[in-house]
Amino acid sequence: MDGPLICLAGFGLVVALLLLRVPIAVSLGVVGLGGLALLLSPEAAVIKAGVVTFTTISHYELGTLPLFLFMAHILFSAGVSTRLFDVAARFVGHKPGGLALASIAGCAAFGTVSGSSLATAATMGLVALPEMKKAGYDPRLSTGSLAAGGTLGVLIPPSGALIVYGVIAEQSIGKLFTAAIFPGLSQAALYLVVVWLICRLNPSLGPVQPRRPWRERLAALGGIADIMALVLFVLAGIVIGWFTPTEAAAIGCIGALVIAAARRKLAIAMLRNAVAETLRTAGMLYLVIIGALIFSAFVSATDFASLISSWVEAIPGGKFGAILLMVVVLLVLGMFLDGMGIMLLMTPIFLPIIQQYGLSPIWFGIFLVRTIEMGFLTPPVGMNVYVIHGIAPDIPVSTIFRGVVPFYLADLVHLAMLIVLPAITLWLPSVVGG
Amino acid sequence: MKRPGEGIGGVLLATGGIGLLGAMLTDAIAVVGRHVGVPFTGSIELVQAFIVLGASSAIAYASLGATHAAVDLVFHRMPLSAQHLAHRLAALLGFLFVAALLAGSAWIAWEYRDAGERTELLGIELKWLRLFWLACALIAAAAMLAPLFARKPPADSASPGEGH
């Protein structure tokens, strides 16, 4: 059997193992090791595993991941989640669909802390869903806006997915964060437009709430000013170049501890819980990255990427044809597989093609994460939909999927914008350097 | 989900916490030092050492808690006996994977045992970091193997799609 065929068999085996609920890290790692043992030698596979492991756990830039997770968990303990929605609701709650608008704004703000789609959907869902239910919102609008809004957590920096992509694609995490700012903001803006349009066509779907006086709005804003100032400082520091992403995460942790102390939430039990949650998530992600890097080494050894490249060259439409094909593959895979798994599986295949067409790997990172995000909304897996269903079990999953449809259409428009206008992604890093 | 907070879990929590807080403080001091004109020479090496401590502890801690991300698409639609079998397969493959990482790491550590591997600026001996990782990998491998001997799969094992 030749290399590319072994690689195809490897892909099939990974998918089969994933469907049998073998952890993502294990599926990628075991198949990668088996493939390397077959193509090179068992000895070479084991040594490769050792090299990849220690390189990964001592990787300076990858240290960004646990530190940003730590910052997020400290801030969660300081009560950041409930306040973000509350502030947005006081500002726009009196508009048609105002609480849905506030949910999306809250998700975007929460995304600057969390970096996770599921965490954003779950946290904002817990806070915003009861409020929208009480206000008589249509369940399709309330759940759809929260499930879609949750996906903002993946793209808006700091993003765990972008950190992982940066490591496996050997790209600057600072540049990726900088590049993600406008795509994240434009995605949030499109979601807001969707809610506005829905409620303009049928205002009864999102009834208006009493207008809050400015005194109350500003008081609420004051309650999150410290957190927003910290987040802006950390992101601005990366964009301007005051510090590296790893240093930014460290500064963010210190700031989060100061905020927690100022709010009288800093205690041994809280710190212990934040460390435990950070270790739990970071450990899972480290093992996934190690598995993916081993799998990536296997794919490289098969020379599969060059075979795919020659196929892609034959596709009509040049680079747009190739990108369209990638979109289709990613969206289809997104229906069945976890986003991180897809990214780790497909990056070694797609990235060389992107580079062959002279496209930017930074742009590709944003495109990849943005496309994969959409898998959080599509059946049958649609993780965000199930997260929201878990919070509101009385609302059928089919209702939530229907509520997501307008946002999914907005996602397609947004994706087309990112493809046709790469400047949305690349302009800011080209100006500030990242 | 099991929440390992006592025994080995407690030790990992402590070492992981030291790693996180150490990396955080070192980097923060380095940033402040650089901006006030007192550079912290070798701060990156120190941060890397703390990151090894944190990352190694994290992998073992996550393995003890059985929180590695998995895809939950068809598992619950399978018959119970098939679920049990798939659960054991996952445990066996998980053990083999981490055991391979452990073996490869041990092999390299053995090869470098007399090389006096040190960082360039601060001279931190890498063998202690490698040994710490090996100990954590051993814990992770054992934790991966444990479900193989469980009578039935835990109801909430491996939360799906936690990657994002």
Side-chain angles (χ1 to χ4, degrees):
Chain A
M1 210 194 302
D2 61 356
L5 266 180
I6 293 176
C7 187
L8 271 179
F11 270 99
L13 197 53
V14 168
V15 173
L17 290 176
L18 288 176
L19 292 179
L20 287 173
R21 212 189 192 204
V22 174
I24 297 167
V26 176
S27 303
L28 290 166
V30 163
V31 174
L33 283 171
L36 285 172
L38 202 65
L39 289 165
L40 306 172
S41 69
E43 184 185 333
V46 170
I47 289 176
K48 182 73 184 171
V51 171
V52 165
T53 304
F54 198 74
T55 309
T56 305
I57 61 170
S58 59
H59 198 293
Y60 175 73
E61 275 215 308
L62 197 50
T64 314
L65 192 64
L67 287 176
F68 267 129
L69 287 170
F70 191 38
M71 175 184 111
H73 285 299
I74 296 167
L75 287 178
F76 296 162
S77 307
V80 58
S81 46
T82 49
R83 294 187 185 206
L84 293 173
F85 172 75
D86 183 47
V87 172
R90 286 180 194 220
F91 271 84
V92 293
H94 60 281
K95 310 245 181 231
L99 294 182
L101 295 171
S103 300
I104 288 164
C107 285
F110 192 77
T112 62
V113 177
S114 128
S116 153
S117 179
L118 299 181
T120 305
T123 311
M124 280 296 128
L126 277 172
V127 180
L129 261 183
E131 294 295 321
M132 286 197 267
K133 192 175 179 183
K134 204 161 63 185
Y137 270 53
D138 184 279
R140 285 169 302 177
L141 177 63
S142 58
T143 55
S145 58
L146 281 164
T151 63
L152 290 164
V154 188
L155 191 60
I156 291 180
S159 152
L162 286 177
I163 295 172
V164 174
Y165 171 80
V167 170
I168 57 172
E170 296 176 352
Q171 297 299 315
S172 154
I173 292 167
K175 272 193 176 166
L176 285 165
F177 279 3
T178 309
I181 290 175
F182 280 135
L185 290 176
S186 52
Q187 181 188 352
L190 271 179
Y191 285 171
L192 294 175
V193 169
V194 167
V195 173
W196 179 79
L197 273 175
I198 289 172
C199 293
R200 195 171 166 81
L201 292 172
N202 188 354
S204 68
L205 296 179
V208 293
Q209 301 301 298
R211 180 187 283 269
R212 299 295 189 101
W214 274 99
R215 184 171 33 82
E216 272 187 36
R217 297 185 203 182
L218 293 176
L221 194 61
I224 59 159
D226 49 358
I227 293 164
M228 287 296 108
L230 173 67
V231 166
L232 284 177
F233 178 67
V234 165
L235 292 182
I238 296 172
V239 171
I240 295 167
W242 288 335
F243 27 71
T244 65
T246 317
E247 290 172 342
I251 297 282
C253 290
I254 299 263
L257 286 172
V258 170
I259 288 172
R263 294 181 178 202
R264 298 180 188 281
K265 302 264 179 153
L266 188 61
I268 295 293
M270 172 272 214
L271 207 56
R272 183 186 161 92
N273 185 53
V275 169
E277 290 301 318
T278 303
L279 292 183
R280 191 177 68 82
T281 315
M284 178 191 79
L285 288 171
Y286 266 108
L287 212 56
V288 167
I289 294 166
I290 291 168
L293 289 172
I294 292 172
F295 186 78
S296 179
F298 157 62
V299 172
S300 300
T302 62
D303 211 24
F304 186 63
S306 55
L307 179 74
I308 291 283
S309 295
S310 60
W311 287 351
V312 170
E313 271 175 17
I315 293 172
K319 67 178 176 186
F320 281 110
I323 292 169
L324 204 61
L325 183 70
M326 286 179 197
V327 169
V328 172
V329 170
L330 291 171
L331 290 182
V332 171
L333 285 177
M335 290 174 161
F336 304 100
L337 294 180
D338 165 81
M340 186 69 85
I342 299 169
M343 186 170 85
L344 298 171
L345 264 177
M346 300 316 290
T347 300
I349 302 294
F350 285 168
L351 189 58
I353 299 169
I354 287 293
Q355 287 170 319
Q356 190 180 318
Y357 279 115
L359 295 167
S360 157
I362 297 289
W363 171 84
F364 178 67
I366 306 299
F367 158 81
L368 185 67
V369 170
R370 183 67 190 84
T371 315
I372 287 169
E373 271 179 36
M374 293 167 70
F376 283 85
L377 303 178
T378 46
V381 175
M383 285 305 300
N384 277 18
V385 170
Y386 289 100
V387 164
I388 298 297
H389 178 63
I391 296 166
D394 53 318
I395 302 175
V397 170
S398 56
T399 304
I400 308 176
F401 273 123
R402 276 203 296 277
V404 154
V405 170
F407 298 96
Y408 194 79
L409 294 176
D411 278 345
L412 290 174
V413 171
H414 190 239
L415 196 56
M417 282 166 57
L418 294 184
I419 293 168
V420 177
L421 300 168
I424 297 173
T425 305
L426 296 175
W427 176 75
L428 195 56
S430 73
V431 173
V432 295
Chain B
M1 186 195 80
K2 282 184 282 177
R3 188 174 287 275
E6 304 299 327
I8 294 174
V11 173
L12 292 171
L13 202 60
T15 52
I18 291 168
L20 282 174
L21 293 170
M24 175 189 87
L25 285 173
T26 309
D27 252 345
I29 292 168
V31 171
V32 174
R34 193 168 65 236
H35 286 281
V36 299
V38 188
F40 185 166
T41 309
S43 65
I44 290 181
E45 291 178 0
L46 204 53
V47 171
Q48 277 179 307
F50 280 123
I51 287 173
V52 172
L53 209 61
S56 306
S57 308
I59 290 172
Y61 190 79
S63 303
L64 273 182
T67 54
H68 291 295
V71 176
D72 207 6
L73 183 59
V74 292
F75 186 80
H76 288 299
R77 292 173 201 165
M78 287 162 39
L80 267 179
S81 56
Q83 282 187 24
H84 197 180
L85 208 62
H87 189 70
R88 281 167 180 259
L89 176 73
L92 180 65
L93 291 179
F95 167 73
L96 288 175
F97 173 52
V98 179
L101 302 184
L102 174 64
S105 304
W107 190 323
I108 292 165
W110 182 255
E111 290 290 322
Y112 282 113
R113 69 189 183 283
D114 296 324
E117 260 191 307
R118 286 172 185 273
T119 61
E120 278 179 33
L121 297 170
L122 299 180
I124 300 168
E125 279 196 79
L126 292 192
K127 70 175 174 190
W128 301 115
L129 299 178
R130 288 189 188 278
L131 275 175
F132 183 76
W133 156 243
L134 289 176
C136 288
L138 198 62
I139 294 168
M144 290 277 194
L145 195 59
L148 197 61
F149 303 104
R151 289 191 169 195
K152 59 177 186 176
D156 63 343
S157 62
S159 44
E162 281 189 76
H164 281 191

